[in-house]
Amino acid sequence: MSIKVIVADDQEIARTGLRMILDAQPGIEVVGEAGDGRRAVELARRLRPDVCLFDIRMPGLDGIEATRLLAGPDVADPLAVVVITTFDLDEYVYAALRAGARGFLLKDAGPELLAQAIRAAADGDALIAPNITARLLGAFAGAGPAAPPAQPIEALTDREEQILATVARGRTNSEIAKELHISLSTVKSHVGSLMTKLGVRNRVEIAMWAYETNRIKN
């Protein structure tokens, strides 16, 4: 089964390039394109793709707001969204992740990293470009959100703290399993437990909680 993707970017040449890159990857198929955020939301709701790949700056409705409408906290059946942009600005990264994005890449990331991000999002993982992840660690380690982060409903175990740290550093389930010498099913079980204890919906929100509680130091 191919991973079905829709691409939204206001520049036709960018959309064409992304489609060509993704269609050339085994197991990935672009099923739709949109030139603005509003059209992207309509298309995503109709086609229900496995992953939406959105540019940030688009007319009418930007990629962050489109992400919020499809994957935000109030969405009952959220879609997986990866945000891609030429603008390497921390506020965009933070806003995109807060809106529910499962990945954030710059347009110069290259075909391999782009395909990895699409596959990770489709699998429930998250991938943020490594250079962005490193900077986020420093930014969030010293500055919390406006409101204190929620405390877990039950104390985290030592193993869950380990899993938390690896998730926050952008590791996929497979990478965590290899790094900690445990099975993939064990990783998935711990990630599920973290979501329950922290009251979050996905691994990106796990990572955000880790940053906000200073669990991660640069």
Side-chain angles (χ1 to χ4, degrees), residues 1-7 17-32 49-53 82 105 110-123:
M1 293 288 288
S2 293
I3 298 171
K4 292 179 170 52
V5 181
I6 65 167
V7 174
L18 291 169
R19 173 187 276 275
M20 289 177 64
I21 289 171
L22 292 175
D23 279 343
Q25 303 296 321
I28 298 178
E29 177 190 3
V30 176
V31 296
D50 300 302
V51 181
C52 304
L53 182 63
V82 173
L105 294 174
E112 184 178 350
L113 196 59
L114 177 58
Q116 286 180 18
I118 295 296
R119 292 192 174 100
D123 194 38

Side-chain angles (χ1 to χ4, degrees), residues 55-171:
D55 184 26
I56 282 186
R57 290 193 173 181
M58 294 187 289
L61 196 70
D62 66 23
I64 291 173
E65 184 57 30
T67 299
R68 187 174 293 111
L69 291 173
L70 295 172
D74 299 326
V75 178
D77 189 14
L79 291 169
V81 179
V82 173
V83 173
I84 186 167
T85 182
T86 55
F87 302 99
D88 185 11
L89 299 176
D90 288 337
E91 56 264 36
Y92 285 156
V93 182
Y94 191 70
L97 297 181
R98 275 294 183 205
R102 287 192 194 170
F104 190 102
L105 294 174
L106 299 181
K107 287 184 178 177
D108 62 1
E112 184 178 350
L113 196 59
L114 177 58
Q116 286 180 18
I118 295 296
R119 292 192 174 100
D123 194 38
D125 281 345
L127 190 150
I128 304 170
N131 58 324
I132 296 173
T133 303
R135 198 172 64 244
L136 279 178
L137 296 179
F140 289 122
Q151 293 303 303
I153 60 173
E154 184 182 336
L156 304 186
T157 65
D158 289 343
R159 179 61 90 184
E160 286 169 346
E161 291 281 3
Q162 286 182 303
I163 300 290
L164 176 75
T166 55
V167 169
R169 291 191 170 95
R171 305 288 194 270

Side-chain angles (χ1 to χ4, degrees), residues 71 78-82 96-98 100-104 116-128 133 136-137 140 159-180 182-212 216:
L79 291 169
V81 179
V82 173
L97 297 181
R98 275 294 183 205
R102 287 192 194 170
F104 190 102
Q116 286 180 18
I118 295 296
R119 292 192 174 100
D123 194 38
D125 281 345
L127 190 150
I128 304 170
T133 303
L136 279 178
L137 296 179
F140 289 122
R159 179 61 90 184
E160 286 169 346
E161 291 281 3
Q162 286 182 303
I163 300 290
L164 176 75
T166 55
V167 169
R169 291 191 170 95
R171 305 288 194 270
T172 65
N173 285 348
S174 297
E175 290 170 338
I176 295 171
K178 184 176 181 180
E179 184 175 327
L180 299 182
I182 56 180
S183 70
L184 188 59
S185 61
T186 299
V187 175
K188 291 180 178 179
S189 176
H190 283 307
V191 170
S193 178
L194 281 170
M195 290 182 192
T196 299
K197 288 185 176 182
L198 302 180
V200 301
R201 300 185 309 162
N202 56 56
R203 63 197 300 116
V204 172
E205 291 181 4
I206 290 175
M208 299 299 285
W209 187 88
Y211 298 143
E212 292 168 353
I216 305 301

Side-chain angles (χ1 to χ4, degrees), residues 38-49:
R38 201 168 303 282
R39 168 64 177 157
V41 171
E42 294 171 355
L43 197 63
R45 285 174 172 167
R46 178 165 57 85
L47 297 180
R48 300 295 300 180

